Amino acid sequence: MAKQIDPNRDQYDLHAKVLGKTHGTLSMALTVNRQTVFLKFFSKTAVESETAYITERNALKLLGRVGLAPKLTAFSDDDQILIRHYVEGETLRDVVTAETVVCHSRAVGAWLKKCAQRAPSRPGSGNWFEYLTGYPDLRKSGAIGTSQQFLETFEINNFVLSQNTALLRDFVMSAQGPMSVKFARTRMKPAGWDLLLAARALVQLFPEQTDAITKALSDGYSSGTRATSDRYLTLIRLFVLGMVFETGRKVAPPPSHLALEAFNRRRKVKCDAVATSPFLAAKFRPQKKHVIEAFERHVLNLARQVKRSTNPDKLEPKPAPASSSQPPLELGALCRACQGNCCQMGVGKNAFIDRDAVYHVMKANPDKDVLQIAQTYLDFIPKSHVKDSCFFHAKKGCNLPREMRSDTCNRYTCGSAQRLLKSISARPPDGILCIAGTGSNFRKATRTRDGKIQNVPLGRLKIGQAAFRKSSDQTEGDR
């Protein structure tokens, strides 16, 4: 596997992280020499596993060519293993809130429109009334029956390769927006089918915003074309009426929302927002002597470059380094809960310390020579650091003062941090609950209160987790 991912190397530094597991599949983030890919293994003993593998493999091949799926880099039909590009981000299920659902709905609608335009397709026939009433749940729907004339005139002109899932966890909110990442249920469906499934899932979460959600989805899907938007809006609302309100199906809110509700239930001072992040389990190991010696040589070399420069002031980066301002308290709470997942990127990169960082340290300490500057950095290296992470990564976070860190570290914000900063800029919360973990597997939690960051015992969130597990058992699977 390592050879497939990085064929130009003879030696490999390989790390695997389990992302999800079902009775028939195992998904992992596999990092080889700092290059991360997504690996999915389909068990040969599970029923229908071979069909699911072939379906997802073919979908990745077809959709990857047109930019609608992560690129498939390698696969093994004998072992039923897929390796594709890793998409950084969190699932739509975990990030959507009552405040953001309209914005997310519009983005999902636009993404699904792009899919309908680029995905492999074939000519279709028939109309939406015939198609919808072919499903048992809609056969006796009053909403569908009373709108038969409209649905019969809404012809199905083409079928496209569709994701065919209503699970919001199958969408990842990447830096570029929503993206489909699971394709085991992919089928040829009428153009617009994925739009209907997305509407059902979002309305089930926020039924009180049905009108706004369906309008945003149809606007995003129709690219502002009024006549088309109105037709799809009617179709979406009829489908939602039949599949959500007439059948009475319910889906639990994201686990983080349930945790917030559980946390606030017995608190006098409540949090009015929740944010989620990854979690890095902190396992410590002693520093490696050769790594520290290599870092010392690196800093000495940079310091000598600065010293030899005829005009050192030209080295100062513009704008001023991010170390000159402190991050918001809410961001500090999120990072404390996460425990430094992003710091793993500093492995083998000398903590991103570059000439600009060394220049600022030298400018602040004009009386020190290059050896003393190097020693200044070495003095902050802890005796032990978090395993598989930067050698400055200590028990309480980065052991290096902000003014000595690289600008890369001071400026970097992961997807979770970006969403948090966007949220608090629009409406600063009185208090925020930050939860680290995956799905309902909460690993650590913090909160902000009275200008301080406090750790939150996970026992205060257990009600939310239990409620999620009980409800999600009834929502697995789809057509």
Side-chain angles (χ1 to χ4, degrees), residues 123-405:
S125 60
N127 58 66
W128 277 105
F129 181 78
E130 294 173 351
Y131 195 84
L132 293 180
T133 51
Y135 284 82
D137 287 341
L138 291 174
R139 198 163 290 153
K140 296 181 180 180
S141 165
I144 301 300
T146 56
S147 302
Q148 179 175 349
Q149 184 176 358
F150 164 77
L151 293 170
E152 285 180 336
T153 60
F154 199 158
E155 297 180 351
I156 296 174
N157 297 316
N158 64 314
F159 283 70
V160 300
L161 193 62
S162 305
Q163 189 179 4
N164 191 36
T165 174
L167 301 178
L168 298 183
R169 64 178 68 94
D170 291 351
F171 289 93
V172 165
M173 302 305 295
S174 67
Q176 291 74 40
M179 188 174 191
S180 307
V181 292
K182 294 185 181 179
F183 305 93
R185 298 184 181 92
T186 302
R187 300 287 187 277
M188 295 298 289
K189 292 285 185 177
W193 177 251
D194 280 343
L195 183 70
L196 301 184
L197 296 185
R200 186 181 83 181
L202 289 165
V203 168
Q204 284 173 326
L205 285 178
F206 306 101
E208 69 283 355
Q209 298 195 59
T210 296
D211 288 348
I213 290 170
T214 52
K215 180 69 164 60
L217 281 167
S218 66
D219 285 349
Y221 189 80
S222 303
S223 304
T225 305
R226 180 63 184 274
T228 305
S229 178
D230 287 347
R231 292 192 86 194
Y232 274 105
L233 177 59
T234 303
L235 176 64
I236 293 169
R237 288 180 173 172
L238 290 173
F239 184 81
V240 166
L241 280 172
M243 294 296 288
V244 180
F245 296 105
E246 289 185 345
T247 61
R249 294 183 179 183
K250 295 182 179 179
V251 174
S256 58
H257 294 189
L258 290 170
L260 176 64
E261 180 182 326
F263 177 79
N264 283 336
R265 195 168 291 136
R266 297 184 179 92
R267 307 268 82 77
K268 289 184 178 179
V269 181
K270 305 180 186 301
C271 291
D272 59 359
V274 63
T276 60
S277 72
F279 176 79
L280 177 64
K283 297 180 181 179
F284 294 90
R285 65 178 301 167
Q287 299 287 355
K288 293 182 178 180
K289 185 178 179 181
H290 72 276
V291 173
I292 304 307
E293 290 174 345
F295 176 68
E296 182 180 11
R297 292 193 296 271
H298 173 71
V299 176
L300 281 171
N301 181 49
L302 294 174
R304 288 170 182 143
Q305 290 180 33
V306 175
K307 203 78 172 177
R308 288 196 300 265
S309 176
T310 56
N311 189 359
D313 287 338
K314 286 187 177 180
L315 298 175
E316 185 170 4
K318 304 296 181 184
S323 61
S324 59
S325 60
Q326 290 295 320
L329 183 70
E330 293 84 0
L331 186 57
L334 187 79
C335 293
R336 180 187 290 188
C338 170
Q339 298 194 151
N341 188 68
C342 63
C343 298
Q344 295 176 103
M345 293 188 289
V347 175
K349 298 179 181 177
N350 289 310
F352 296 105
I353 299 300
D354 56 12
R355 194 171 61 172
D356 290 334
V358 173
Y359 164 79
H360 284 292
V361 174
M362 294 179 71
K363 186 176 181 180
N365 300 274
D367 56 326
K368 293 185 176 182
D369 59 26
V370 293
L371 291 174
Q372 291 171 318
I373 291 296
Q375 189 59 47
T376 301
Y377 271 100
L378 295 177
D379 288 343
F380 285 102
I381 296 178
K383 291 182 179 180
S384 61
H385 70 108
V386 176
K387 183 181 178 182
D388 300 326
S389 191
C390 175
F391 47 73
F392 282 113
H393 192 176
K395 186 175 181 179
K396 295 185 178 180
C398 183
N399 218 45
L400 202 60
R402 280 182 63 82
E403 62 271 14
M404 292 181 64
R405 299 176 198 170

